[in-house]
Structure formats: structure tokens, C-alpha cells
Amino acid sequence: MSTPFPSASVATATERSAPQSARAPARARPAAPRVPLMAQPRVQRVVYPVLVGLVLIALWQGVVTAMELPAYLVPSPLLMLKTLFTDWAALGASLWVTVKITVLAFVVATVAGVLISFVFVQSKRIETALFPYAVLLQVTPIVAVAPLIIIWVKDPTASMVICAALVALFPIISNTTLGLRSVEPDLQSYFMLNRATRLQTLLRLRIPSALPYFFGGLRISSGLALIGAVVAEFVAGTGGQGAGLAYQILQAGFQLNIPRMFAALLLISLTGVALFVLMAWLTRVALGSWHASETSHD
């Protein structure tokens, strides 16, 4: 004999057999604990260096004031900042010249270094034959080579760009070549098994593997490009409207205007920090979503 309401009995049995958690109303998940502002790594990376810098500047100001050191020996930070504002017309124009030479040299070094690395990775024999010359270029003092380049290249700006690019070239070649070679053997065997061409292997395997090394080279090369630009300006000794910060330092030294010299050195240092921060930001943008060097929070 069939039951009059089979569907109701089945539903009742189903409700009885259902777990208690399924019948209970869903509970809202507790909110994640809020991390204090000073405990956040991003804030610490900014606040801690700034605090150390403020302490050093305060000690510097205190020592100069307590010992009554003359400005032509060691200017105080307040006098240096005052000179930076009063002489900004000349220092700002020179800063633009130095930054222009640095950026142009950095771009030239990056393009040339990447192209050379692509050639090196195509054949181990080519890398073995030519890599020692890249090392030779790195260990040769730019101060000894810069006068020859300035004589051979008539345009002062182009000659200084070449000198700075030579200084910044080797880290790009070395890091990019190492990255292109640092490919997982299993992935390389997989590409060979599928008969991938050299171009396909380069674009789809070697370049993604080399990106962390490449951006590491950029961070080193950006600072070296600035150093090369300043050294080239020292050797060239150009004055007038095309003078960079190196010329301002030389002129201030001849005139014993030490506060102005320190102000020019401060601008060079801040430019180097800005370049490094910019390269670190580019690295985070390019690798932040997939590479362990940027995703780790330790």
C-alpha cells in the first residue's frame, strides 16, 4: 500500500539526514585583524630610513653648531638647504643636464646590453669568445677612456652619453645573460621535444625566466649611469648653459663655495635614490603578481 504523500516523507527524511551545519544559518566570518600602520612592511620601508636620516642630520647640525665649524670646511644642513634654494636657478638647470645625460645613457646601455645578451645566449661558443671583452670593458677605468671618447666624438652631449653608457653596460649584459641561461632543464627539454624554434624558445621560455635577473641589472645600471654621467662631466669640463652638476661642483671648489658644493652633491644623491626607487617600482609592477622575489612578505 503506497503512502498518500511520498514526496513529503522523502523531504522529511532528507531534512533529518542533512547535517546540522547545513540547516543552521550561515555565520559571518570574523573580520581579519587590522594590522597596525607601523607594522606594515610598506610603511616600514619608508619610515625607518627616514628616521635614520633625520637622526644623522640632527647629529650633523649639532656637531657643526657645537664645534662652531666654519662653512668653508663643513657647512651645516640648514646652510646647505638655504644655498640650494638661493642658487636653484643654476643648480636646477645643471640638474636637468645631468639627468638628461643619465637617462639617455641608461636607455642606450639597456638596449645594447639586452641585444648583446640575446647574441650570447644563442651559442656558448660566442659567449665564451666575447664575454671576456665585456669584462675588460667593465674593469677599464672610465676616467682613462673618457678623454679619448671626448676627442673622437665632437658633440659634447653625445660623448658624455657614450661614456656613461659604457659604465652602465656590464650589469645589463651580465644579469640578462645569466637569466637567459637560468632555464629549468625540464622546461627546456619540453620545448625541444615539441621542436620549438630558437625564436619561440627565446620569447616564451628564456625571456620570462630572465626577467627577475634583468630588473636586478636595471637597478644596478641606473646608479652606474648617473656615476658615469658625473665622471664624464668632470672630464669634459663643459661650462655655460650645458653645464651639469659636476661642473657646479668644480666651480664651487675653485671658489671655496662649499655650501653650494654640498647642495650639488645632495642633488646627485637624491637623483640616484629616485632612479633606484623608480626601478624598484618597475620591478614590482612587472613581477609582483607572479615571482617569489616580489610576492613574499617575509
Side-chain angles (χ1 to χ4, degrees):
M1 183 176 179
S2 60
T3 57
F5 302 101
S7 58
S9 60
V10 173
T12 303
T14 304
E15 291 179 357
R16 291 177 180 176
S17 61
Q20 185 69 23
S21 59
R23 297 196 301 268
R27 296 180 180 179
R29 294 182 179 180
R34 185 176 182 180
V35 180
L37 184 63
M38 291 302 300
Q40 298 179 8
R42 293 183 178 180
V43 177
Q44 293 177 354
R45 284 195 294 265
V46 175
V47 173
Y48 288 171
V50 170
L51 290 178
V52 173
L54 292 177
V55 171
L56 294 177
I57 291 174
L59 290 176
W60 180 5
Q61 182 70 35
V63 170
V64 171
T65 304
M67 300 182 65
E68 297 182 352
L69 297 176
Y72 61 84
L73 287 181
V74 181
S76 65
L78 293 179
L79 180 58
M80 180 183 62
L81 293 177
K82 180 181 177 181
T83 306
L84 180 62
F85 284 105
T86 56
D87 297 349
W88 177 251
L91 293 176
S94 298
L95 174 63
W96 165 247
V97 173
T98 301
V99 170
K100 180 179 67 174
I101 295 173
T102 301
V103 172
L104 291 176
F106 179 62
V107 172
V108 171
T110 301
V111 174
V114 170
L115 293 178
I116 293 173
S117 300
F118 286 169
V119 175
F120 283 176
V121 80
Q122 298 304 315
S123 173
K124 193 67 176 178
R125 295 180 180 179
I126 296 177
E127 180 182 357
T128 304
L130 298 181
F131 195 80
Y133 294 97
V135 178
L136 182 65
L137 186 66
Q138 171 68 13
V139 300
T140 302
I142 191 60
V143 179
V145 180
L148 295 175
I149 298 176
I150 292 173
I151 293 174
W152 292 339
V153 181
K154 301 301 181 182
D155 184 67
T157 302
S159 62
M160 288 187 287
V161 168
I162 293 174
C163 293
L166 292 178
V167 176
L169 181 61
F170 183 77
I172 302 295
I173 297 176
S174 178
N175 284 36
T176 306
T177 303
L178 178 62
L180 293 173
R181 292 288 185 191
S182 300
V183 177
E184 293 186 11
D186 294 339
L187 292 177
Q188 190 171 6
S189 300
Y190 177 77
F191 272 69
M192 294 176 60
L193 182 64
N194 287 273
R195 298 181 180 181
T197 62
R198 286 181 177 270
L199 182 60
Q200 290 175 334
T201 304
L202 177 66
L203 296 178
R204 300 182 182 181
L205 179 61
R206 294 191 182 276
I207 290 180
S209 300
L211 284 180
Y213 299 87
F214 170 70
F215 282 105
L218 288 184
R219 281 180 284 189
I220 301 173
S221 181
S222 61
L224 291 179
L226 177 61
I227 295 174
V230 174
V231 171
E233 290 175 357
F234 272 118
V235 176
T238 56
Q241 295 182 351
L245 288 175
Y247 178 78
Q248 297 295 337
I249 293 175
L250 288 174
Q251 188 181 35
F254 294 148
Q255 299 174 353
L256 290 181
N257 191 352
I258 307 304
R260 188 172 187 176
M261 179 187 294
F262 271 71
L265 290 174
L266 176 63
L267 289 179
I268 293 176
S269 301
L270 293 178
T271 303
V273 172
L275 289 173
F276 184 86
V277 171
L278 178 61
M279 292 302 106
W281 177 78
L282 289 177
T283 303
R284 194 176 303 113
V285 170
L287 307 179
S289 61
W290 63 276
H291 196 262
S293 62
E294 298 297 328
T295 57
S296 176
H297 299 288
D298 296 338

